Amino acid sequence: MSAQASPLPDQGGSARVDSWIWSVRLTRTRSAAAAACRAGHVRVNGERAKPAQPVKPGDEVRLFHEGRERIVIVQRTLTKRVGAPVAAECLIDKSPPPPTRVERAATGLRDRGAGRPTKRERRDTDALRGR
């Protein structure tokens, strides 16, 4: 019998935050996860995370990616990318639901090169967003 290494390590371990985000399929590549960390789009337990920061079970990871915020709780640490069903077991997703098509279309977009918005345009945009 040969002992094969399981992609799911024991509960007590830790993993790099960029590697874990990539392993549970929140980003497409590990370099994209590391870039998100460097840009300040990743927070672990409320603090900005560097790519090499360790995460352990019970940590809250917040990731702002592709226009939406993902809030997940680490259930199990991973260092290798796994399939979607296994990845779903490694986190608890507490993210708000993604915006509907109508909500996405309602956001005011300015024409490219239109310059800085005027005070009236800013008020209209804020009213549209519900601020």
Side-chain angles (χ1 to χ4, degrees), residues 5 12 34 37 52-53 56 62-64 70 72 85 91 94 99 101-103 108 118 125 128-129:
C37 291
Q53 180 173 337
K56 59 190 181 312
R62 290 175 175 255
L63 167 70
F64 188 78
R70 301 291 305 267
V72 296
L91 58 92
K94 296 194 172 203
R101 289 177 127 181
V102 174
E103 291 171 343
T118 64
T125 303
L128 185 64
R129 291 183 177 167

Short mmCIF file of all heavy atoms in Angstrom, two decimals, residues 5 12 34 37 52-53 56 62-64 70 72 85 91 94 99 101-103 108 118 125 128-129:
data_model
loop_
_atom_site.label_atom_id
_atom_site.label_comp_id
_atom_site.label_asym_id
_atom_site.label_seq_id
_atom_site.Cartn_x
_atom_site.Cartn_y
_atom_site.Cartn_z
N ALA A 5 -0.62 11.55 -0.29
CA ALA A 5 -0.87 12.78 0.46
C ALA A 5 -2.25 13.32 0.09
O ALA A 5 -2.58 13.46 -1.07
CB ALA A 5 0.19 13.82 0.14
N GLY A 12 -5.54 21.74 12.21
CA GLY A 12 -4.71 22.64 12.98
C GLY A 12 -3.70 23.44 12.18
O GLY A 12 -3.07 24.34 12.73
N ALA A 34 -2.37 37.14 -4.98
CA ALA A 34 -1.27 37.90 -4.38
C ALA A 34 -1.39 39.38 -4.75
O ALA A 34 -1.14 40.26 -3.91
CB ALA A 34 0.07 37.35 -4.84
N CYS A 37 -3.95 40.99 -2.59
CA CYS A 37 -3.40 41.23 -1.25
C CYS A 37 -2.55 42.49 -1.25
O CYS A 37 -2.68 43.35 -0.37
CB CYS A 37 -2.58 40.05 -0.78
SG CYS A 37 -3.52 38.57 -0.42
N ALA A 52 1.77 36.61 2.10
CA ALA A 52 2.33 35.51 2.88
C ALA A 52 1.72 35.37 4.27
O ALA A 52 2.13 34.50 5.04
CB ALA A 52 3.84 35.67 3.01
N GLN A 53 0.73 36.18 4.59
CA GLN A 53 0.13 36.09 5.93
C GLN A 53 -0.56 34.74 6.09
O GLN A 53 -1.30 34.30 5.22
CB GLN A 53 -0.89 37.20 6.14
CG GLN A 53 -1.54 37.14 7.51
CD GLN A 53 -2.40 38.35 7.78
OE1 GLN A 53 -2.23 39.38 7.19
NE2 GLN A 53 -3.35 38.19 8.69
N LYS A 56 -5.72 30.40 9.36
CA LYS A 56 -5.99 29.14 10.05
C LYS A 56 -7.49 28.99 10.18
O LYS A 56 -8.23 29.95 9.98
CB LYS A 56 -5.28 29.11 11.41
CG LYS A 56 -5.67 30.23 12.33
CD LYS A 56 -4.76 30.26 13.54
CE LYS A 56 -5.12 31.35 14.52
NZ LYS A 56 -5.33 32.65 13.99
N ARG A 62 -11.92 38.59 4.01
CA ARG A 62 -12.75 39.44 3.16
C ARG A 62 -11.94 39.76 1.91
O ARG A 62 -10.81 40.23 2.00
CB ARG A 62 -13.12 40.74 3.87
CG ARG A 62 -14.09 40.53 5.00
CD ARG A 62 -14.34 41.84 5.73
NE ARG A 62 -15.35 41.64 6.72
CZ ARG A 62 -16.62 42.05 6.61
NH1 ARG A 62 -16.98 42.71 5.52
NH2 ARG A 62 -17.48 41.82 7.55
N LEU A 63 -12.54 39.52 0.75
CA LEU A 63 -11.87 39.74 -0.53
C LEU A 63 -12.78 40.57 -1.40
O LEU A 63 -13.93 40.20 -1.64
CB LEU A 63 -11.58 38.38 -1.21
CG LEU A 63 -11.16 38.42 -2.67
CD1 LEU A 63 -9.77 39.01 -2.81
CD2 LEU A 63 -11.20 37.02 -3.26
N PHE A 64 -12.27 41.72 -1.88
CA PHE A 64 -13.00 42.52 -2.85
C PHE A 64 -12.43 42.17 -4.21
O PHE A 64 -11.28 42.46 -4.49
CB PHE A 64 -12.86 44.02 -2.56
CG PHE A 64 -13.75 44.84 -3.43
CD1 PHE A 64 -15.10 44.96 -3.15
CD2 PHE A 64 -13.24 45.49 -4.54
CE1 PHE A 64 -15.94 45.70 -3.96
CE2 PHE A 64 -14.07 46.24 -5.36
CZ PHE A 64 -15.42 46.35 -5.07
N ARG A 70 -16.43 39.40 -1.12
CA ARG A 70 -16.65 38.03 -0.66
C ARG A 70 -16.20 37.95 0.79
O ARG A 70 -15.09 38.36 1.12
CB ARG A 70 -15.85 37.04 -1.50
CG ARG A 70 -16.14 37.03 -2.99
CD ARG A 70 -17.52 36.49 -3.33
NE ARG A 70 -17.78 35.18 -2.79
CZ ARG A 70 -17.57 34.04 -3.43
NH1 ARG A 70 -17.08 34.04 -4.63
NH2 ARG A 70 -17.86 32.89 -2.84
N VAL A 72 -15.74 35.18 3.74
CA VAL A 72 -15.70 33.74 4.00
C VAL A 72 -15.00 33.47 5.32
O VAL A 72 -14.13 34.22 5.75
CB VAL A 72 -15.02 32.96 2.85
CG1 VAL A 72 -15.79 33.07 1.57
CG2 VAL A 72 -13.60 33.42 2.64
N PRO A 85 -16.43 20.98 -5.37
CA PRO A 85 -17.14 20.40 -4.23
C PRO A 85 -16.28 20.34 -2.96
O PRO A 85 -16.77 20.59 -1.86
CB PRO A 85 -17.51 18.99 -4.69
CG PRO A 85 -17.47 19.04 -6.17
CD PRO A 85 -16.44 20.05 -6.51
N LEU A 91 -14.76 26.26 3.40
CA LEU A 91 -15.10 27.61 3.79
C LEU A 91 -16.59 27.74 4.08
O LEU A 91 -17.39 26.90 3.64
CB LEU A 91 -14.70 28.62 2.72
CG LEU A 91 -15.28 28.44 1.31
CD1 LEU A 91 -16.56 29.23 1.14
CD2 LEU A 91 -14.26 28.91 0.29
N LYS A 94 -20.23 33.82 3.74
CA LYS A 94 -21.15 34.77 4.36
C LYS A 94 -21.27 36.02 3.51
O LYS A 94 -21.64 37.08 4.01
CB LYS A 94 -20.68 35.12 5.76
CG LYS A 94 -20.69 33.94 6.70
CD LYS A 94 -20.54 34.37 8.11
CE LYS A 94 -20.77 33.16 9.00
NZ LYS A 94 -21.16 33.51 10.32
N PRO A 99 -25.18 41.43 -7.00
CA PRO A 99 -26.22 42.33 -7.49
C PRO A 99 -26.94 41.75 -8.71
O PRO A 99 -26.33 41.05 -9.52
CB PRO A 99 -25.46 43.60 -7.85
CG PRO A 99 -24.05 43.18 -8.03
CD PRO A 99 -23.85 41.99 -7.16
N ARG A 101 -29.10 41.93 -12.32
CA ARG A 101 -28.81 42.63 -13.57
C ARG A 101 -29.35 44.05 -13.54
O ARG A 101 -28.73 44.99 -14.04
CB ARG A 101 -29.44 41.89 -14.75
CG ARG A 101 -28.78 40.61 -15.08
CD ARG A 101 -29.54 39.95 -16.19
NE ARG A 101 -28.63 39.63 -17.27
CZ ARG A 101 -29.00 39.06 -18.39
NH1 ARG A 101 -30.25 38.77 -18.60
NH2 ARG A 101 -28.12 38.78 -19.31
N VAL A 102 -30.52 44.23 -12.94
CA VAL A 102 -31.13 45.56 -12.87
C VAL A 102 -30.28 46.48 -12.00
O VAL A 102 -30.05 47.64 -12.35
CB VAL A 102 -32.57 45.46 -12.30
CG1 VAL A 102 -33.17 46.82 -12.10
CG2 VAL A 102 -33.43 44.61 -13.22
N GLU A 103 -29.80 45.97 -10.86
CA GLU A 103 -28.97 46.78 -9.99
C GLU A 103 -27.65 47.15 -10.65
O GLU A 103 -27.14 48.26 -10.49
CB GLU A 103 -28.70 46.05 -8.68
CG GLU A 103 -29.91 45.91 -7.80
CD GLU A 103 -29.68 45.00 -6.62
OE1 GLU A 103 -28.69 44.23 -6.66
OE2 GLU A 103 -30.47 45.04 -5.68
N GLY A 108 -24.60 54.47 -12.42
CA GLY A 108 -24.31 55.47 -13.45
C GLY A 108 -22.90 55.31 -13.99
O GLY A 108 -21.94 55.29 -13.23
N THR A 118 -19.45 66.98 -12.49
CA THR A 118 -19.81 68.23 -11.84
C THR A 118 -20.51 67.92 -10.53
O THR A 118 -20.83 66.76 -10.23
CB THR A 118 -20.76 69.05 -12.73
OG1 THR A 118 -21.97 68.32 -12.90
CG2 THR A 118 -20.13 69.35 -14.09
N THR A 125 -25.60 60.90 -9.13
CA THR A 125 -25.01 59.58 -8.98
C THR A 125 -25.21 59.05 -7.56
O THR A 125 -25.58 57.88 -7.37
CB THR A 125 -23.50 59.62 -9.29
OG1 THR A 125 -23.32 60.13 -10.61
CG2 THR A 125 -22.87 58.24 -9.19
N LEU A 128 -28.78 58.01 -7.12
CA LEU A 128 -29.03 56.75 -7.83
C LEU A 128 -28.53 55.57 -7.03
O LEU A 128 -29.17 54.52 -6.98
CB LEU A 128 -28.34 56.79 -9.20
CG LEU A 128 -28.57 55.63 -10.13
CD1 LEU A 128 -30.06 55.56 -10.51
CD2 LEU A 128 -27.73 55.75 -11.37
N ARG A 129 -27.39 55.72 -6.35
CA ARG A 129 -26.83 54.65 -5.54
C ARG A 129 -27.47 54.55 -4.15
O ARG A 129 -27.16 53.65 -3.40
CB ARG A 129 -25.32 54.85 -5.39
CG ARG A 129 -24.58 54.64 -6.69
CD ARG A 129 -23.11 54.77 -6.49
NE ARG A 129 -22.42 54.50 -7.74
CZ ARG A 129 -21.16 54.76 -7.96
NH1 ARG A 129 -20.43 55.29 -7.01
NH2 ARG A 129 -20.61 54.48 -9.11
#
